[in-house]
Amino acid sequence: MISANEDALRLVHPILLSALQSSTCLTNVEMLDTRRGSKTIVWIDREGQRKFLHSQIDPIAEANKVAATHLTHDRPRRVLLIGHGAGYIVRAVEPRALELWVLAANLPLLLFVCDHIDISDLFLKPNIRWLFGSPSEIHSQLTALLSS
């Protein structure tokens, strides 16, 4: 894990860090450079076909376009983002929401990202909440956040 990610998790999200350290590593993903120099995640399916999680050209612009398209009104109080990818969509949505809840249901993918990309800034932002664990744990976290 990139040391900045580990340090941020240890400081702000020690339970998430422990869960990530207990996760198994993914063997069917790759991190590739895009044409604009950022990284993109590639899933390799059972037939060996490559599936890109982000744009192969400019995933940052892609994320900004998605966020601008779907969050066009006043800054919403809460946004639930299902998945985190390589962090681009989280970075694009965060300034457009008062609170951003990121459902990290695939901890091995988050571990893979933490091994390859510095997303420590996302762990340190106080308006980003990370939801993770078993379905019942995620349900409890969502219930607690919704009642606050």
Side-chain angles (χ1 to χ4, degrees):
M1 181 178 298
I2 292 174
S3 61
N5 290 333
E6 187 171 354
D7 292 345
L9 285 164
R10 185 175 288 108
L11 180 67
V12 185
H13 303 290
I15 297 170
L16 178 54
L17 175 61
S18 178
L20 288 172
Q21 290 171 332
S22 300
S23 294
T24 56
C25 295
L26 292 174
T27 57
N28 62 333
V29 293
E30 298 175 345
M31 188 71 71
L32 298 178
D33 291 326
T34 65
R35 294 182 193 160
R36 300 280 165 109
S38 51
K39 304 277 186 191
T40 190
I41 298 172
V42 182
W43 287 95
I44 303 163
D45 68 18
R46 291 184 181 138
E47 290 79 38
Q49 298 295 313
R50 297 166 57 182
K51 311 287 184 187
F52 287 81
L53 189 59
H54 306 289
S55 166
Q56 298 175 50
I57 299 168
D58 192 347
I60 296 169
E62 174 189 57
N64 286 329
K65 181 178 177 182
V66 168
T69 300
H70 295 286
L71 297 170
T72 57
H73 303 291
D74 292 336
R75 202 169 168 200
R77 179 169 177 208
R78 295 179 177 139
V79 172
L80 173 61
L81 189 59
I82 300 174
H84 47 76
Y88 305 121
I89 192 67
V90 179
R91 282 195 182 95
V93 170
E94 183 270 331
R96 293 175 165 88
L98 295 175
E99 289 179 33
L100 175 57
W101 301 350
V102 181
L103 177 56
N106 188 336
L107 289 181
L109 177 60
L110 183 56
L111 176 61
F112 178 80
V113 171
C114 287
D115 285 345
H116 292 87
I117 298 176
D118 181 359
I119 59 169
S120 59
D121 61 307
L122 302 178
F123 296 130
L124 295 170
K125 289 187 179 280
N127 65 323
I128 298 178
R129 311 279 180 107
W130 293 86
L131 310 174
F132 62 95
S134 68
S136 62
E137 290 168 327
I138 292 169
H139 177 268
S140 296
Q141 292 170 39
L142 276 171
T143 301
L145 285 171
L146 286 169
S147 64
S148 64

